[in-house]
Amino acid sequence: MADLDSFVDERSLLPYLDREVPEIGAVREIRRITSGSSNEIFELSTADSPDPVILRTPPRRRLSASAHDVAREYRVLRALRGTPVPCPQALHLCTDESVLGRPFLLMSQVKGFHLKAPYPEHALADGAMRAMMYDFIEVIAHLSRVDWEAAGLAGFGRPAGYLERQVERWLGQLAHYRTRDLPYLDEVARWLRTHQPVSGEPGIIHGDYQFLNVLFAHDLPPRVAGVLDWEQSTVGDPLVDLGWVLGLWTEPGEQSPLNAFYGNASQHPGAPTRAELAARYAEVCGRDVTHRRYYEVLALFKLGCIAEGSYHRHITGRSDTALHADFAWIVPKLIATAHAITRGERE
C-alpha cells in the first residue's frame, strides 16, 4: 500500500475495518485524495467492489472544534437517505480515536465532475450547462423541503432565532483575529441588523453550497450526481443556502474576486441569472424569495469574516496556501460587493 506518512496507521485501521465493517470487503489499497486545512479524504479500494469506499477524517490542525465534524456529516447523510437530495451513502462512523487519532466517516463514492473548466464534452452540448445550473439550484430547494424532524434531526441545530444570531456570531469570530481596517464592514453589519426579514419554516442548511462541493453526472441528462461536504450543515433558515449561491454568482460583465477559486461557470453563455435562479428555487420549494438580497449580503459578509481568519493565518506564518495570501485583497472586495448590494448597485 502507498506510504501515507503515518497519517493513517494501517496496522490499526485495517483490523478495525475487518472487525466492524466487514461488508465493505478487505481493503487492498489506500490512496490519499486531499489533505491540508480541509477534511482529509482517502479512497479505499476493496476486494469485493469495483467502487472504492471514501474515508473522511479531520485534518491534523483543526480550524475550530466544529469545523470538521464528521459525526455531524454522518448524521445528516443518514437523514437524507431516500430524499430527492443526491448525496453519498453514509456507511460507518468511528468515534474511537484510538484507531486513527481522530474520528472518521466511511461513505460511498460519488462519480462525477466539478463544474469548473475544462468541462467534459457533454456539458458543452446545447442547453446542457443551463440545465445543470437549474438542477444545481433545485437541489437546495428540495433540501429545504425535507422534514428534518421526521428524518431524525431533532436537536441538530437551533432554528429559533437563527438569523438573529448571524451578524454577532461572525463579528465575534472576526474579533479573535482581526488585525486591519475593513472598509464598509460596519455599514454592512448595520444594514443586516436593520433589514433582517422574518424567517419562514426552518429547514436543513448545507452551509457551504457551491460548485466545488457538488459533483455533476458524467452521463445524460445533465444533473447533479451528488452533494459533498456536509460537516457545516445545520437546521435554520434554508434561504441562507440560496444567498450563498446568489452572493457568489456573477453575471456577464461582473467580476468576482473568487472566480479563480470557484470558477466562472455562471458566466457561461446561457447560464441563468440570479433572478432566474431565485425564481426557480421559489417555484420548486414554494418559499418566499422577496428578500433574497438580504441573504446575498449575509453570505458575502459571513464569507469575508471567515476568510479574514485564513488571511490572519497567512500573515502569522501558519498557512502557506496561496489563496490565503490573496485574501489580502479578496476579503475587502467581498465586503465592498456586499455593500454595493445594500445600495442597490447590483441586481
Side-chain angles (χ1 to χ4, degrees):
M1 293 188 182
D3 178 14
L4 301 176
D5 60 30
S6 74
F7 186 82
V8 170
D9 184 349
E10 297 174 10
R11 294 170 300 178
S12 176
L13 176 63
L14 297 184
Y16 174 87
L17 295 179
D18 288 341
R19 181 176 67 254
E20 300 295 334
V21 204
E23 61 270 22
I24 69 172
V27 176
R28 291 180 169 175
E29 183 180 6
I30 303 175
R31 183 172 69 91
R32 171 178 275 149
I33 299 177
T34 65
S35 62
S37 59
S38 298
N39 277 336
E40 298 268 358
I41 304 176
F42 298 87
E43 185 180 270
L44 279 55
S45 299
T46 68
D48 296 346
S49 174
D51 298 322
V53 171
I54 301 300
L55 184 151
R56 286 170 60 86
T57 189
R60 290 180 176 88
R61 180 182 294 172
R62 305 188 195 189
L63 300 181
S64 70
S66 61
H68 309 282
D69 193 343
V70 293
R72 191 171 192 83
E73 184 166 20
Y74 177 80
R75 185 177 175 189
V76 75
L77 288 177
R78 296 274 294 183
L80 291 174
R81 184 178 297 180
T83 72
V85 180
C87 57
Q89 180 182 354
L91 302 175
H92 181 75
L93 174 68
C94 174
T95 57
D96 181 357
E97 297 196 7
S98 69
V99 180
L100 289 184
R102 57 194 56 79
F104 65 87
L105 161 69
L106 297 181
M107 65 185 192
S108 62
Q109 182 191 54
V110 175
K111 295 182 179 180
F113 64 93
H114 291 295
L115 199 56
K116 186 176 180 181
Y119 309 115
E121 184 175 348
H122 84 272
L124 299 175
D126 187 36
M129 189 72 74
R130 186 175 179 87
M132 286 189 291
M133 292 177 181
Y134 272 131
D135 199 55
F136 174 72
I137 207 69
E138 288 174 14
V139 166
I140 52 170
H142 288 303
L143 178 64
S144 77
R145 298 185 62 186
V146 172
D147 186 335
W148 51 277
E149 291 180 300
L153 292 181
F156 189 68
R158 294 188 294 148
Y162 178 85
L163 282 188
E164 288 85 346
R165 296 191 297 271
Q166 293 306 297
V167 172
E168 306 313 320
R169 175 185 178 183
W170 300 114
L171 285 179
Q173 180 165 310
L174 177 63
H176 290 297
Y177 44 68
R178 184 175 178 179
T179 58
R180 59 175 174 164
D181 179 53
L182 292 172
Y184 303 121
L185 180 74
D186 293 339
E187 292 93 324
V188 170
R190 281 195 296 269
W191 187 91
L192 286 168
R193 292 187 187 103
T194 58
H195 289 79
Q196 179 188 305
V198 176
S199 293
E201 287 295 315
I204 302 172
I205 302 169
H206 178 275
D208 190 17
Y209 193 72
Q210 38 103 349
F211 285 147
L212 292 183
N213 289 334
V214 174
L215 293 176
F216 292 84
H218 286 299
D219 60 342
L220 296 173
R223 67 194 186 281
V224 172
V227 181
L228 311 176
D229 296 349
W230 290 87
E231 65 265 24
Q232 296 183 53
S233 58
T234 189
V235 174
D237 187 335
L239 285 171
V240 300
D241 275 343
L242 177 66
W244 198 257
V245 172
L246 301 183
L248 293 169
W249 197 268
T250 57
E251 298 179 7
E254 298 175 347
Q255 290 187 339
S256 167
L258 288 172
N259 272 353
F261 183 64
Y262 288 105
N264 59 354
S266 65
Q267 297 195 14
H268 191 274
T273 63
R274 285 183 291 268
E276 288 174 323
L277 288 173
R280 177 61 65 88
Y281 177 92
E283 178 186 348
V284 172
C285 68
R287 290 182 180 268
D288 183 1
V289 296
T290 302
H291 301 287
R292 70 175 176 88
R293 288 182 181 83
Y294 168 88
Y295 294 93
E296 293 176 33
V297 172
L298 178 61
L300 295 174
F301 170 81
K302 172 183 173 180
L303 182 56
C305 291
I306 294 172
E308 187 69 0
S310 297
Y311 173 65
H312 183 261
R313 287 193 295 278
H314 166 74
I315 63 176
T316 55
R318 293 181 292 136
S319 171
D320 56 4
T321 302
L323 181 63
H324 294 174
D326 288 340
F327 283 157
W329 65 270
I330 288 175
V331 171
K333 178 63 175 176
L334 289 170
I335 303 301
T337 302
H339 185 249
I341 298 171
T342 69
R343 294 169 57 88
E345 297 171 4
R346 194 186 87 164
E347 292 299 321

